[in-house]
Every structure is written in C-alpha cells, then in structure tokens.
Amino acid sequence: MPRLCKPAVSAPEYVITMEETLEFAERVHGGKPQLPLALRLIRNTGVQKRHIVQPIEKTLSHPGLTERNRIYEAESKKRCPEVIERALANAEVTARDIDAIIYVSCTGFLMPSLTAWLINKLGFRSDTRQIPIAQLGCAAGGAAINRAHDFCVAHPGSNVLIVACELCSLCYQPDADDIGSLLSDGLFGDAVAAAVVRGTGGVGIELERNASYLIPNTEEWISYSVRDTGFHFQLDRRVPGTMEPLAPVLREFAKDHSWDAGALDFYIVHAGGPRILDDLAKFLEVDRKVFRHSWATLTEYGNIASAVVLDAARRLFEEDTPAADATGLIAGFGPGITAEMALGRWAVDAPAELGNAV
C-alpha cells in the first residue's frame, strides 16, 4: 500500500509574536469599533508566534498585486528546493524516483506551475506528472495526500512528491478591517512543507482509505474575493461551528473501514483555529490532547494553510515511534466547506527496490 513518509517543513526567518500582532493591530486599526472584539479573538487563538517571508513593516504595506506575486515567485523558488531535498532524503528516494509532483498553494499564482521549474532545476525526470492544486485552500494538504494515494494505487510502485508552499502574509490587505479579516491577520503564517508518498516500502503511515465531503451550501463561508489589490480572504462567522456536522462524517468514514474514529492511536488534523480542534474533540468524544501535534503547529506557526497537516505529521514522526499497526486519521478542512479524510496505520519494512529511476 502507498505510504506517507516523514515530511520536511521550513518556516521563514522573520517572526512576529502574539504581543507584536496585537500592537500592530491597535496601531493600524485603532479607533475601529470592531477592534476590541478582534483583539479578543486573536488572543484566544493561542498562536504564540508566526513566521513571515518579509520584515513586518514590509508585510504591512501593499506594493500592489504585481509586486506581491513577484515576491511569491521569488520566495517559493528560494525556499522549496531545500525542503524538497530533505523530504526525498526522509523517504530514501531521489528526484529520479519521483513519478508525480503535487504542488499545493492558495497564496500566489504561477503559470506554468512551480512544478515545471522544480522538474527543470532539481533533476526530476521530464516525464514526471504535474498536478498543481490552487483552489482548495487549507484542505489542499489533505487533498494532496489523498491524490497521491490515488495515483499510487492507479500506478503501482510509483512515488509521489507533495509540496505545500503557503505564503499567507502576502495576502494581507491593509484596508480590510472586518472581523474576519482582522482575525485572519492574527492567525495565518507562512511555511513550506514537502513529503513523499511511496508506492512501496519506507517508514510511515500506510494509507488505506480516503474520502472527500462537501457540506452543502457553504461555498461562501470561506472564500477569496479577487480584486485589483489581489486576494481578499473572506471568513464567515459560522465557520468555527463546522465540526458539528463534520464529526459524524468522520465517524461514518471510519466505521465503513471497521474502525472507530473516537478510538484511534493518532490524529493528524488541520489546525484552522482553537474552536475547530476543541469542537472536533467534543463531537468525536476524544481528549483534546490527541490533537497535540495540531495544537503545537497552531501555537508555534499559526494556521499555515495546506502545510498544517504535513507539519502535524512531521511532529508525529519525531515523537516516540508509534507501535506497528497503530491506526490513525488524517483530515484537512477548507473552502467549500470541504473535508479531505484519510485512514492509515503505522508501518515499517525494508524498502523495496525502486524500479522507476532512469
């Protein structure tokens, strides 16, 4: 079965703390009637610090969409290669062993996709499939794992590289002062993550089943409004309550696999915010500590969009090694409202010979 190997993750060098976030919010949006509520919501996120690709003063300015997208291209090309090399090493494969690259990002736009640049610059084969995913937002990390699983099932013995590059700070809009925008300004951070799904062999989470689910008539709850100044993130106040309808979906998904979603050994879940994690624990009837890897990502990096599930997975790998056959759930949530779900178990064996290199 396809196996998710240890991810590699990198966060930019510029750091903004919770205290600094609150100070900047008061300075930039002082006097706005909605500011006190926004400050209280930001404090309640539990995000202690976030990493961003530019100094905060540059982040707070808006040089225009053209310049921001130029920065996105430059920073993604600067930061992705090193993370990819570590992910390949973690999986004990080389660039020549990769059959498909899934690139996910919702914070910048390139055409051709960065996948073409990566293939040319990092030694991937010219026949490597390119699968860019740009419009699933935070759910794209889970979707990438699921599409990699599907690809390996359809093409036995193949290996898929997943790359998530989320530079959320480049979407900051200085003039947006609604509650959703102000909360997002204190929640989202930047990061790059990568992981390999091996078709055979390796150490990691053996992927057994995946599924997607869309909550009907919620497509406007998380969205971008695309304007002259770029992407304007829109967040409906009902989003934090989405775990109540999604928890039964997760339960049924696990039940169809003869597993109990409330009695698994590990959970890798998108950390959209504290309410998401607390409610999921409540409705799955599990201790909130089972989401410790997601909580750690939220605290140390903020919401890093599609990269969250890969960072949470990395933390699982770096914790005490799970017992063989330990069962787990991977879940990403995002616009739609979309849930991308996977079930897998911890597996270790000797790597099989890689026959796809040329």
Side-chain angles (χ1 to χ4, degrees):
M1 288 186 182
R3 197 167 294 178
L4 175 66
C5 300
K6 180 182 178 181
V9 180
S10 177
E13 61 273 25
Y14 300 104
V15 176
I16 180 169
T17 65
M18 164 74 79
E19 292 72 22
E20 290 169 331
T21 296
L22 296 171
E23 290 172 7
F24 285 121
E26 289 181 319
R27 189 182 81 192
V28 175
H29 300 286
K32 302 290 177 61
Q34 62 272 39
L35 182 61
L37 173 58
L39 295 178
R40 185 166 72 252
L41 293 174
I42 291 172
R43 289 189 187 96
N44 290 341
T45 63
V47 177
Q48 294 304 307
K49 65 179 177 67
R50 294 170 293 147
H51 294 250
I52 51 181
V53 293
Q54 300 179 105
I56 185 60
E57 293 300 338
K58 284 191 175 182
T59 300
L60 292 176
S61 67
H62 196 324
L65 177 58
T66 299
E67 176 62 10
R68 278 194 168 176
N69 209 61
R70 186 201 65 78
I71 295 170
Y72 173 86
E73 179 175 1
E75 293 292 339
S76 60
K77 290 179 177 179
K78 170 184 173 182
R79 299 176 186 279
C80 286
E82 183 271 336
V83 179
I84 289 169
E85 294 292 350
R86 285 195 283 124
L88 294 173
N90 289 344
E92 299 183 315
V93 298
T94 70
R96 306 294 289 179
D97 300 316
I98 297 299
D99 300 284
I101 301 174
I102 300 176
Y103 179 81
V104 296
S105 180
C106 63
T107 52
F109 181 81
L110 299 177
M111 191 173 74
S113 166
L114 194 73
T115 50
W117 184 86
L118 293 172
I119 289 170
N120 286 322
K121 296 296 183 181
L122 299 187
F124 294 97
R125 305 193 318 268
S126 295
D127 64 351
T128 303
R129 274 76 156 195
Q130 302 176 63
I131 310 174
I133 300 175
Q135 293 160 298
L136 282 177
C138 296
I145 293 170
N146 289 350
R147 300 297 77 78
H149 179 192
D150 294 342
F151 187 94
C152 290
V153 171
H155 304 276
S158 295
N159 304 298
V160 179
L161 172 69
I162 296 168
V163 183
C165 179
E166 299 291 13
L167 309 183
C168 302
S169 64
L170 297 180
C171 296
Y172 172 70
Q173 298 292 343
D175 296 330
D177 57 7
D178 58 280
I179 290 295
S181 295
L182 293 176
L183 173 59
S184 299
D185 294 343
L187 180 62
F188 286 92
D190 299 349
V192 176
V196 173
V197 173
R198 287 185 52 149
T200 58
V203 176
I205 302 171
E206 196 159 81
L207 302 168
E208 297 190 7
R209 187 186 191 95
N210 72 65
S212 303
Y213 183 81
L214 181 76
I215 302 179
N217 303 314
T218 57
E219 66 268 26
E220 295 181 356
W221 290 17
I222 301 175
S223 64
Y224 274 164
S225 175
V226 183
R227 305 174 190 169
D228 291 343
T229 49
F231 302 141
H232 288 248
F233 185 68
Q234 299 179 141
L235 183 69
D236 190 278
R237 61 183 176 82
R238 291 169 288 184
V239 169
T242 50
M243 291 304 101
E244 184 170 7
L246 283 180
V249 174
L250 292 170
R251 283 191 176 279
E252 192 64 26
F253 171 58
K255 182 180 178 182
D256 288 344
H257 200 57
S258 300
W259 291 4
D260 180 355
L264 301 176
D265 299 305
F266 61 86
Y267 297 82
I268 305 299
V269 175
H270 174 67
R275 171 79 182 277
I276 296 294
L277 295 175
D278 278 335
D279 274 9
L280 190 57
K282 172 184 175 182
F283 293 117
L284 286 184
E285 299 179 349
V286 297
D287 191 307
R288 71 196 298 272
K289 293 179 181 178
V290 303
F291 302 136
R292 60 191 175 280
H293 306 303
S294 302
W295 281 113
T297 297
L298 185 65
T299 299
E300 297 174 23
Y301 291 156
N303 183 338
I304 49 176
S306 66
V308 168
V309 292
L310 296 176
D311 185 66
R314 173 187 65 85
R315 295 170 189 273
L316 172 69
F317 278 81
E318 293 178 354
E319 195 179 50
D320 292 338
T321 304
D325 291 329
T327 57
L329 168 73
I330 301 172
F333 312 114
I337 297 290
T338 300
E340 288 283 343
M341 307 162 281
L343 295 172
R345 66 177 76 234
W346 188 263
V348 179
D349 59 25
E353 182 179 350
L354 293 169
N356 294 324
V358 296

